[in-house]
mmCIF file of all heavy atoms in Angstrom:
data_model
loop_
_atom_site.group_PDB
_atom_site.id
_atom_site.type_symbol
_atom_site.label_atom_id
_atom_site.label_comp_id
_atom_site.label_asym_id
_atom_site.label_seq_id
_atom_site.Cartn_x
_atom_site.Cartn_y
_atom_site.Cartn_z
ATOM 1 N N ASP A 266 73.890 -3.435 120.834
ATOM 2 C CA ASP A 266 73.805 -4.898 120.805
ATOM 3 C C ASP A 266 72.379 -5.339 121.096
ATOM 4 O O ASP A 266 72.029 -5.708 122.219
ATOM 5 C CB ASP A 266 74.783 -5.490 121.820
ATOM 6 C CG ASP A 266 76.197 -5.005 121.573
ATOM 7 O OD1 ASP A 266 76.796 -5.409 120.570
ATOM 8 O OD2 ASP A 266 76.691 -4.192 122.384
ATOM 9 N N VAL A 267 71.550 -5.315 120.064
ATOM 10 C CA VAL A 267 70.120 -5.566 120.232
ATOM 11 C C VAL A 267 69.851 -6.975 120.740
ATOM 12 O O VAL A 267 69.082 -7.178 121.683
ATOM 13 C CB VAL A 267 69.380 -5.305 118.906
ATOM 14 C CG1 VAL A 267 67.917 -5.728 119.010
ATOM 15 C CG2 VAL A 267 69.483 -3.832 118.517
ATOM 16 N N ARG A 268 70.465 -7.969 120.127
ATOM 17 C CA ARG A 268 70.190 -9.353 120.524
ATOM 18 C C ARG A 268 70.506 -9.582 121.990
ATOM 19 O O ARG A 268 69.718 -10.208 122.725
ATOM 20 C CB ARG A 268 70.996 -10.327 119.662
ATOM 21 C CG ARG A 268 70.762 -11.792 120.020
ATOM 22 C CD ARG A 268 71.663 -12.721 119.216
ATOM 23 N NE ARG A 268 73.071 -12.455 119.433
ATOM 24 C CZ ARG A 268 73.764 -12.877 120.496
ATOM 25 N NH1 ARG A 268 73.158 -13.584 121.455
ATOM 26 N NH2 ARG A 268 75.044 -12.596 120.610
ATOM 27 N N LEU A 269 71.647 -9.098 122.469
ATOM 28 C CA LEU A 269 72.010 -9.277 123.868
ATOM 29 C C LEU A 269 70.984 -8.640 124.797
ATOM 30 O O LEU A 269 70.588 -9.231 125.813
ATOM 31 C CB LEU A 269 73.392 -8.675 124.135
ATOM 32 C CG LEU A 269 74.610 -9.441 123.626
ATOM 33 C CD1 LEU A 269 75.883 -8.666 123.939
ATOM 34 C CD2 LEU A 269 74.678 -10.829 124.257
ATOM 35 N N ALA A 270 70.545 -7.444 124.463
ATOM 36 C CA ALA A 270 69.589 -6.753 125.321
ATOM 37 C C ALA A 270 68.233 -7.454 125.314
ATOM 38 O O ALA A 270 67.567 -7.551 126.354
ATOM 39 C CB ALA A 270 69.434 -5.305 124.876
ATOM 40 N N VAL A 271 67.805 -7.945 124.160
ATOM 41 C CA VAL A 271 66.546 -8.693 124.089
ATOM 42 C C VAL A 271 66.631 -9.948 124.950
ATOM 43 O O VAL A 271 65.682 -10.290 125.676
ATOM 44 C CB VAL A 271 66.206 -9.052 122.631
ATOM 45 C CG1 VAL A 271 65.066 -10.071 122.566
ATOM 46 C CG2 VAL A 271 65.829 -7.791 121.847
ATOM 47 N N GLU A 272 67.752 -10.622 124.911
ATOM 48 C CA GLU A 272 67.927 -11.812 125.738
ATOM 49 C C GLU A 272 67.931 -11.460 127.223
ATOM 50 O O GLU A 272 67.399 -12.215 128.055
ATOM 51 C CB GLU A 272 69.210 -12.537 125.344
ATOM 52 C CG GLU A 272 69.108 -13.195 123.973
ATOM 53 C CD GLU A 272 70.413 -13.808 123.506
ATOM 54 O OE1 GLU A 272 71.443 -13.627 124.199
ATOM 55 O OE2 GLU A 272 70.408 -14.460 122.441
ATOM 56 N N ALA A 273 68.517 -10.315 127.573
ATOM 57 C CA ALA A 273 68.488 -9.875 128.971
ATOM 58 C C ALA A 273 67.053 -9.630 129.427
ATOM 59 O O ALA A 273 66.674 -9.988 130.544
ATOM 60 C CB ALA A 273 69.314 -8.600 129.137
ATOM 61 N N ILE A 274 66.235 -9.048 128.565
ATOM 62 C CA ILE A 274 64.823 -8.832 128.890
ATOM 63 C C ILE A 274 64.117 -10.169 129.098
ATOM 64 O O ILE A 274 63.365 -10.355 130.069
ATOM 65 C CB ILE A 274 64.123 -8.026 127.780
ATOM 66 C CG1 ILE A 274 64.628 -6.580 127.783
ATOM 67 C CG2 ILE A 274 62.604 -8.051 127.960
ATOM 68 C CD1 ILE A 274 64.144 -5.756 126.613
ATOM 69 N N GLN A 275 64.364 -11.119 128.208
ATOM 70 C CA GLN A 275 63.710 -12.425 128.315
ATOM 71 C C GLN A 275 64.107 -13.152 129.602
ATOM 72 O O GLN A 275 63.269 -13.727 130.300
ATOM 73 C CB GLN A 275 64.076 -13.283 127.094
ATOM 74 C CG GLN A 275 63.498 -12.746 125.790
ATOM 75 C CD GLN A 275 64.083 -13.439 124.571
ATOM 76 O OE1 GLN A 275 65.213 -13.933 124.604
ATOM 77 N NE2 GLN A 275 63.310 -13.488 123.490
ATOM 78 N N MET A 276 65.385 -13.118 129.927
ATOM 79 C CA MET A 276 65.863 -13.841 131.105
ATOM 80 C C MET A 276 65.417 -13.172 132.399
ATOM 81 O O MET A 276 64.990 -13.854 133.347
ATOM 82 C CB MET A 276 67.386 -13.959 131.069
ATOM 83 C CG MET A 276 67.917 -14.799 129.909
ATOM 84 S SD MET A 276 67.207 -16.465 129.844
ATOM 85 C CE MET A 276 67.775 -17.145 131.387
ATOM 86 N N THR A 277 65.519 -11.849 132.477
ATOM 87 C CA THR A 277 65.102 -11.173 133.704
ATOM 88 C C THR A 277 63.595 -11.252 133.901
ATOM 89 O O THR A 277 63.116 -11.324 135.036
ATOM 90 C CB THR A 277 65.560 -9.704 133.717
ATOM 91 O OG1 THR A 277 65.095 -9.033 132.534
ATOM 92 C CG2 THR A 277 67.073 -9.604 133.781
ATOM 93 N N ASP A 278 62.854 -11.267 132.798
ATOM 94 C CA ASP A 278 61.406 -11.435 132.912
ATOM 95 C C ASP A 278 61.084 -12.777 133.549
ATOM 96 O O ASP A 278 60.219 -12.870 134.432
ATOM 97 C CB ASP A 278 60.762 -11.330 131.528
ATOM 98 C CG ASP A 278 59.258 -11.564 131.582
ATOM 99 O OD1 ASP A 278 58.558 -10.752 132.222
ATOM 100 O OD2 ASP A 278 58.783 -12.555 130.993
ATOM 101 N N MET A 279 61.773 -13.821 133.130
ATOM 102 C CA MET A 279 61.533 -15.142 133.699
ATOM 103 C C MET A 279 61.893 -15.177 135.187
ATOM 104 O O MET A 279 61.154 -15.723 136.023
ATOM 105 C CB MET A 279 62.348 -16.189 132.937
ATOM 106 C CG MET A 279 62.165 -17.603 133.444
ATOM 107 S SD MET A 279 60.448 -18.146 133.480
ATOM 108 C CE MET A 279 60.037 -18.100 131.744
ATOM 109 N N ILE A 280 63.014 -14.556 135.546
ATOM 110 C CA ILE A 280 63.419 -14.532 136.953
ATOM 111 C C ILE A 280 62.408 -13.748 137.794
ATOM 112 O O ILE A 280 61.961 -14.205 138.854
ATOM 113 C CB ILE A 280 64.824 -13.909 137.090
ATOM 114 C CG1 ILE A 280 65.869 -14.821 136.433
ATOM 115 C CG2 ILE A 280 65.177 -13.684 138.564
ATOM 116 C CD1 ILE A 280 67.236 -14.180 136.298
ATOM 117 N N ARG A 281 62.027 -12.564 137.304
ATOM 118 C CA ARG A 281 61.116 -11.713 138.068
ATOM 119 C C ARG A 281 59.752 -12.374 138.261
ATOM 120 O O ARG A 281 59.118 -12.211 139.298
ATOM 121 C CB ARG A 281 60.962 -10.352 137.382
ATOM 122 C CG ARG A 281 62.182 -9.445 137.553
ATOM 123 C CD ARG A 281 62.131 -8.247 136.606
ATOM 124 N NE ARG A 281 60.959 -7.424 136.851
ATOM 125 C CZ ARG A 281 60.890 -6.439 137.757
ATOM 126 N NH1 ARG A 281 61.935 -6.191 138.532
ATOM 127 N NH2 ARG A 281 59.796 -5.725 137.892
ATOM 128 N N ARG A 282 59.305 -13.122 137.252
ATOM 129 C CA ARG A 282 58.012 -13.795 137.367
ATOM 130 C C ARG A 282 58.018 -14.891 138.434
ATOM 131 O O ARG A 282 56.964 -15.285 138.936
ATOM 132 C CB ARG A 282 57.600 -14.384 136.013
ATOM 133 C CG ARG A 282 57.167 -13.338 134.985
ATOM 134 C CD ARG A 282 56.942 -13.970 133.627
ATOM 135 N NE ARG A 282 56.579 -12.984 132.617
ATOM 136 C CZ ARG A 282 55.326 -12.627 132.320
ATOM 137 N NH1 ARG A 282 54.328 -13.191 132.971
ATOM 138 N NH2 ARG A 282 55.086 -11.729 131.396
ATOM 139 N N HIS A 283 59.193 -15.405 138.755
ATOM 140 C CA HIS A 283 59.276 -16.476 139.741
ATOM 141 C C HIS A 283 59.746 -15.993 141.109
ATOM 142 O O HIS A 283 59.922 -16.798 142.021
ATOM 143 C CB HIS A 283 60.204 -17.583 139.226
ATOM 144 C CG HIS A 283 59.561 -18.436 138.173
ATOM 145 N ND1 HIS A 283 59.467 -18.034 136.857
ATOM 146 C CD2 HIS A 283 58.952 -19.649 138.245
ATOM 147 C CE1 HIS A 283 58.855 -18.967 136.158
ATOM 148 N NE2 HIS A 283 58.530 -19.954 136.966
#
Side-chain angles (χ1 to χ4, degrees):
D266 304 290
V267 173
R268 180 184 60 80
L269 285 178
V271 168
E272 290 175 354
I274 290 172
Q275 293 169 333
M276 295 305 297
T277 55
D278 177 64
M279 180 55 64
I280 293 170
R281 286 167 61 86
R282 288 173 182 269
H283 284 80

